[in-house]
Amino acid sequence: MKNRNIFWASFSFIVLIQLTSLTIFGENFPSEVKSPNGKIIVSFQLTNTGQPTYEIHYVDHMVIQQSRLGFVIDDGFNFANNFVISETNKRSFSEDWGPLWGERNSIQNEFNEIVIGLTQAESNRKLNVIFRAFDDGIGFRYEFPEQEELNNFKIMDELTEFNFTGDHKCWWIPGDHDSYEYTYQTTKISEIDISKTEYSPRGDRFVSNPKSVNTPITLESEEGIYFSIHEADLTDYADMTLVVKDKYNFETDLVPWADGTKVKAVTPFKTPWRTIQIADRAADLLTSTLILNLNEPVVEGDFSWIEPIKYIGIWWEMHIDKSSWARTYIEGSWSGKDGLPHGATTENAKRYIDFAAENNIKGVLAEGWNTGWEYWGADTTGFFDFVTPYEDYDLHGLINYAKEKGVEIVGHNETGGDVENYDSRVEDVFKFYNSIGIRAVKTGYAGAIRPVGERHHGQYMVRHYQKVLEVALKYHIMIDAHEPIKDTGLRRTYPNMMTREGAKGMEWNAWSAGNLPEHTTILPFTRMLGGPMDYTPGIFDISIDSKEGFSVHSTIANQLALMVVLYSPLQMAADLVENYDHPAFQFIRDVPTDWDETIINNAAIGDYVTISRRRGNDWFVGSITDENERVLELSLDFLDKEKSYTAVIYKDAADSHYEINPEVCEIESVKVSSDTVLELRLAPGGGQSIMITED
Ligand code: NOJ
Ligand code: CA
């Protein structure tokens, strides 16, 4: 943990607030707001039918053309027309704040804001639209003020559009209501159509429109401007998916409740922020802090129990069919195959604890430690209580054994999607974990949601994930959520919201065609613009010796680099510990999980990326490529000019290749300084990692 005041986790210097604050009533309302550097201009306009719309200019280009705003509420009531502007309000804001942990220790939050107050002529109902223009993009949200005419209401449709000016290239996954675990597609906007790709319906997946996408969706215009649409501060609303309407226009399509309602609300009520990151270079998307800045600051408290850590665990062995989550096998269950031994035994867990203690790793996860797994996937409910260990797993003994060695057990709560069950138990479960010293829990929702008909990304589940996060905060538990709602930057407000899955992770390599090398060169520019991901990198047995026909599609040097590239404050080294008897494991021992500074050295979406992160005086570099071999340049001009350094380089061999020869990794040590320019040669599907320390 960084050396900061632990009782006041986040420093915040408000440099200037309300530089200009201007409220205007009457005819001539200002309707524009500019980013602090003047490059981005958002303008608001009512059409002649009183429909709210906005457009965006970037430098001299119109980049979002007239796009409508508004809602359909209750029983089809039109809340998108007949509006008049009743007031507008402008202000400027600037602060520097420091997150408790993350990719950097200081974040600038500077924007200009305009609030447009609207009143609907006939109904006298009120709606505000708030726009904030930052140098790295814009955010806008709707506010339904408290009012007599609107109290308890339902949003049946949100009409927000993002109307681009060209058929941009984009990186997208379908707008599935239950899962984000897809291979990214790279197409023009006009070519978005999941029915032309891998989609096959399953009980825990649902795509209602083949032309829908989920966010973050990242786009590149012909002029080379980059955009990413996403949302921020999603705590009590439905996931925003987008559907391609006419031409290059994306229209919002919220994930509904089982009864078809999109959102249930009571005024005063705010939607999440709709966000558009805008950048001249792909690299600048990666340093954007827009999403975090559009979340509320943390409330003061004691967060000394929150600590980014590395972990290992009894996990991969179940995915590669070496052992099972359950102790016995029941027809229809997903938890392993008949005849496989149980993975989470006391003996096996001790082996992991011993290894962690010897190798600078703090956490040990054990999946399948609790009773009920034989029913996972079977059509029944209530089988997990999350507190009773299987007989061959000595929960209390292991907690103490770990503690004596300076290690801790990471709890695991797979719900199988049975949310009614988990919801009724979670308070007692976290209270119990707190009492025995568990302070990190991986949750999971692998399965269709119960109540039947609710979706992983609907408001019902957004509320559930939020409740789990808040209960966890109360009992000092850090959360790592799998099958989660997408990350919208809540870690600023809830610093125990550490990491989550929410994309195709490592596990897919164990039981499907897997993730091609390109996948991890797209993730930073799409999924991870929302926040950290528990990808679970660090597999050394790339060819998965025990499971024929499956492999990790990467080199070992690439796996090491992912520990830096794919930021996660709970970072798993995912392989079986017996595979870590390898000199390259030293990089995993050394790499931190919390950083002071992050810079992007090379970036091309879907091709390659190089990221350097500083912790104190040490730098760690991760560079990865897709299936193509490349030579990238890395200037070390970010090092202190006055100092000399040693770089330990972990790289692909001349004949490394992600399918043919993935497991050779060369290690060398060289003297470097701020004048050094390194040549990074990356094999097909390869990578390079470097640790740079002061002499
Ligand atoms: C899916 C999760 O992504 C994976 O990490 C976990 O092992 C299984 N569910 C079982 O909980
Ligand atoms: Ca998963």
Side-chain angles (χ1 to χ4, degrees):
M1 179 83 71
K2 288 167 198 159
N3 189 16
R4 294 199 191 110
N5 182 343
I6 52 174
F7 289 100
W8 175 217
S10 166
F11 72 83
S12 179
F13 301 126
I14 297 179
V15 180
L16 57 129
I17 314 177
Q18 302 206 213
L19 178 77
T20 52
S21 182
L22 178 78
T23 308
I24 298 191
F25 303 88
E27 285 303 306
N28 299 317
F29 298 103
S31 55
E32 241 184 46
V33 66
K34 273 189 196 172
S35 59
N37 66 7
K39 283 177 146 188
I40 302 175
I41 303 175
V42 190
S43 7
F44 175 87
Q45 221 191 337
L46 284 177
T47 64
N48 50 16
T49 63
Q51 167 144 48
T53 66
Y54 74 100
E55 57 186 47
I56 300 178
H57 283 79
Y58 181 60
V59 195
D60 290 325
H61 298 267
M62 166 161 342
V63 292
I64 297 278
Q65 52 192 321
Q66 192 165 45
S67 303
R68 69 175 179 170
L69 300 164
F71 297 89
V72 176
I73 59 172
D74 292 336
D75 303 318
F77 181 84
N78 176 331
F79 208 39
N81 262 308
N82 300 329
F83 281 106
V84 293
I85 299 180
S86 35
E87 109 183 57
T88 66
N89 231 298
K90 276 187 133 181
R91 68 170 180 139
S92 299
F93 183 87
S94 178
E95 69 173 347
D96 285 310
W97 62 278
L100 187 63
W101 48 263
E103 302 93 323
R104 50 187 61 79
N105 60 18
S106 172
I107 292 177
Q108 194 193 20
N109 179 18
E110 191 180 5
F111 60 81
N112 295 320
E113 177 185 272
I114 186 164
V115 182
I116 315 269
L118 299 168
T119 305
Q120 202 179 30
E122 287 158 17
S123 73
N124 203 30
R125 287 175 168 175
K126 293 186 181 356
L127 177 69
N128 297 334
V129 192
I130 307 167
F131 293 95
R132 286 187 183 169
F134 301 78
D135 289 344
D136 54 349
I138 68 123
F140 62 90
R141 81 177 342 162
Y142 302 91
E143 229 179 37
F144 297 80
E146 198 166 2
Q147 52 193 296
E148 257 173 41
E149 288 76 11
L150 194 64
N151 188 293
N152 205 323
F153 69 108
K154 291 186 212 155
I155 294 175
M156 301 309 291
D157 220 347
E158 179 184 326
L159 305 175
T160 307
E161 292 175 345
F162 302 87
N163 194 358
F164 284 96
T165 52
D167 198 6
H168 302 338
K169 180 177 178 182
C170 47
W171 292 266
W172 59 276
I173 53 169
D176 194 315
H177 294 184
D178 277 302
S179 177
Y180 307 108
E181 298 186 24
Y182 283 88
T183 299
Y184 277 85
Q185 305 293 322
T186 310
T187 70
K188 299 266 189 199
I189 298 176
S190 59
E191 293 161 351
I192 289 174
D193 187 348
I194 195 62
S195 65
K196 302 208 170 104
T197 67
E198 59 172 321
Y199 178 66
S200 51
R202 277 186 356 202
D204 57 347
R205 284 189 162 197
F206 181 67
V207 177
S208 65
N209 187 322
K211 286 178 166 291
S212 67
V213 298
N214 225 307
T215 72
I217 174 176
T218 298
L219 307 96
E220 182 189 356
S221 75
E222 252 173 36
E223 303 83 37
I225 306 173
Y226 292 86
F227 306 91
S228 186
I229 309 178
H230 191 42
E231 48 185 318
D233 197 11
L234 169 60
T235 57
D236 188 14
Y237 204 77
D239 178 312
M240 175 181 74
T241 75
L242 302 171
V243 172
V244 184
K245 245 176 68 180
D246 32 73
K247 291 201 98 174
Y248 322 127
N249 192 1
F250 289 94
E251 186 183 55
T252 299
D253 188 17
L254 300 175
V255 175
W257 287 74
D259 68 7
T261 306
K262 300 285 175 60
V263 172
K264 303 180 182 177
V266 178
T267 59
F269 185 77
K270 285 182 206 157
T271 69
W273 293 94
R274 277 66 190 89
T275 60
I276 310 174
Q277 282 156 299
I278 307 177
D280 292 324
R281 305 180 318 148
D284 295 338
L285 288 175
L286 304 190
T287 48
S288 164
T289 48
L290 181 81
I291 306 292
L292 283 177
N293 281 332
L294 286 169
N295 277 270
E296 297 302 316
V298 64
V299 176
E300 222 170 306
D302 170 13
F303 301 117
S304 55
W305 50 276
I306 296 179
E307 186 185 7
I309 57 169
K310 285 176 284 197
Y311 73 102
I312 53 173
I314 301 171
W315 177 77
W316 186 239
E317 61 182 75
M318 279 82 92
H319 288 272
I320 61 172
D321 293 341
K322 274 197 129 177
S323 68
S324 172
W325 285 274
R327 290 192 72 198
T328 50
Y329 177 66
I330 284 179
E331 195 59 40
S333 163
W334 298 333
S335 47
K337 309 243 160 56
D338 203 1
L340 287 180
H342 182 216
T345 63
T346 304
E347 197 194 345
N348 202 14
K350 280 190 171 163
R351 216 162 55 89
Y352 273 79
I353 293 167
D354 293 344
F355 183 89
E358 284 156 19
N359 289 286
N360 191 30
I361 289 173
K362 197 91 189 253
V364 173
L365 170 79
E367 292 199 2
W369 67 275
N370 57 318
T371 55
W373 279 88
E374 38 288 308
Y375 300 98
W376 177 42
D379 190 16
T380 172
T381 60
F383 44 87
F384 284 125
D385 71 7
F386 311 100
V387 293
T388 311
Y390 277 126
E391 268 170 35
D392 57 353
Y393 185 84
D394 176 11
L395 175 64
H396 295 281
L398 284 165
I399 298 250
N400 291 334
Y401 184 79
K403 205 184 224 166
E404 278 162 22
K405 299 200 161 207
V407 172
E408 62 189 74
I409 300 290
V410 174
H412 185 235
N413 290 174
E414 174 57 65
T415 67
D418 187 356
V419 175
E420 278 172 313
N421 177 50
Y422 192 47
D423 200 76
S424 67
R425 298 181 194 265
V426 68
E427 176 107 24
D428 291 341
V429 170
F430 286 178
K431 195 172 179 182
F432 169 62
Y433 291 174
N434 177 273
S435 75
I436 60 174
I438 289 180
R439 60 164 180 168
V441 174
K442 171 178 172 181
T443 57
Y445 298 85
I449 300 298
R450 283 176 190 269
V452 174
E454 299 305 345
R455 301 288 178 187
H456 283 76
H457 308 157
Q459 188 185 19
Y460 173 87
M461 281 304 288
V462 170
R463 285 180 174 172
H464 169 77
Y465 294 118
Q466 185 63 20
K467 171 180 165 179
V468 171
L469 183 56
E470 288 177 21
V471 173
L473 189 66
K474 179 168 159 194
Y475 293 107
H476 293 189
I477 305 279
M478 302 183 271
I479 294 291
D480 166 7
H482 278 231
E483 297 78 39
I485 187 65
K486 62 190 170 191
D487 195 334
T488 58
L490 296 185
R491 60 177 157 143
R492 180 173 183 193
T493 323
Y494 305 91
N496 65 322
M497 183 61 253
M498 308 301 284
T499 189
R500 70 185 86 201
E501 192 186 36
K504 247 183 168 178
M506 177 62 74
E507 60 182 12
W508 283 79
N509 292 314
W511 31 255
S512 78
N515 305 331
L516 288 176
E518 182 186 70
H519 184 59
T520 45
T521 67
I522 298 178
L523 283 176
F525 303 93
T526 50
R527 154 70 183 79
M528 299 194 70
L529 296 182
M533 176 176 176
D534 191 30
Y535 184 81
T536 68
I539 299 295
F540 279 22
D541 174 18
I542 304 283
S543 51
I544 316 182
D545 291 346
S546 60
K547 201 170 176 187
E548 213 178 306
F550 297 88
S551 103
V552 175
H553 316 292
S554 129
T555 66
I556 285 186
N558 176 290
Q559 290 294 303
L560 297 180
L562 294 180
M563 309 284 298
V564 177
V565 170
L566 304 179
Y567 178 63
S568 183
L570 303 178
Q571 185 67 288
M572 186 176 206
D575 211 340
L576 315 177
V577 290
E578 51 269 38
N579 293 333
Y580 284 147
D581 184 13
H582 192 296
F585 188 71
Q586 188 57 41
F587 187 80
I588 295 183
R589 279 189 200 103
D590 291 332
V591 70
T593 48
D594 184 22
W595 305 99
D596 294 320
E597 192 181 343
T598 287
I599 54 180
I600 312 303
N601 312 97
N602 304 293
I605 309 176
D607 296 335
Y608 56 85
V609 60
T610 309
I611 301 184
S612 299
R613 304 195 198 266
R614 181 176 65 79
R615 164 81 185 183
N617 298 323
D618 301 338
W619 285 88
F620 288 76
V621 183
S623 183
I624 57 169
T625 176
D626 60 3
E627 68 284 0
N628 297 307
E629 176 182 356
R630 310 181 186 271
V631 179
L632 300 174
E633 252 187 23
L634 175 67
S635 160
L636 301 185
D637 57 3
F638 50 82
L639 296 178
D640 191 325
K641 311 245 168 313
E642 310 296 313
K643 292 180 174 150
S644 60
Y645 296 82
T646 300
V648 183
I649 301 174
Y650 299 77
K651 61 180 186 184
D652 295 321
D655 57 352
S656 288
H657 184 285
Y658 71 105
E659 300 292 25
I660 306 157
N661 187 21
E663 289 171 19
V664 279
C665 179
E666 293 180 350
I667 306 172
E668 65 175 4
S669 182
V670 292
K671 295 282 174 208
V672 295
S673 73
S674 62
D675 294 331
T676 309
V677 178
L678 293 173
E679 204 174 74
L680 313 182
R681 195 202 140 266
L682 314 177
Q688 193 162 135
S689 315
I690 311 173
M691 177 174 87
I692 306 172
T693 50
E694 239 181 83
D695 287 336

